[in-house]
Amino acid sequence: MGPVPASEPVWYVGRQCESGGCVEVGTLDDVVMMRSSQAPDVVLPITRAEWREFLAGAKEGLFDHL
């Protein structure tokens, strides 16, 4: 995956985020980006297909042991 596009995405935070250390998700064109609210300069860009796979795994409990 190439560099993050230069335009700024709109970032979304989960409703249950109260600790200040939250995962933020944004989209820009065909890229989904994830970052930590405590380190907003570090952005993980992924494809929409990868995002869908991640969500499916989370819904199935794949990451519950972490």
Side-chain angles (χ1 to χ4, degrees), residues 3-16:
V4 176
S7 300
E8 183 66 25
V10 176
W11 293 98
Y12 298 92
V13 180
R15 289 181 291 225
Q16 298 177 356

Side-chain angles (χ1 to χ4, degrees), residues 1-65:
M1 184 112 223
V4 176
S7 300
E8 183 66 25
V10 176
W11 293 98
Y12 298 92
V13 180
R15 289 181 291 225
Q16 298 177 356
C17 179
E18 297 176 8
S19 67
C22 307
V23 173
E24 299 178 352
V25 178
T27 59
L28 191 60
D29 300 323
D30 289 333
V31 178
V32 177
M33 292 167 268
M34 297 171 56
R35 69 182 185 182
S36 168
S37 60
Q38 293 181 333
D41 293 336
V42 180
V43 177
L44 173 65
I46 59 176
T47 65
R48 289 189 183 267
E50 291 169 325
W51 177 247
R52 285 190 295 273
E53 288 294 319
F54 171 76
L55 290 181
K59 289 176 183 177
E60 293 174 10
L62 187 63
F63 310 114
D64 289 354
H65 67 285

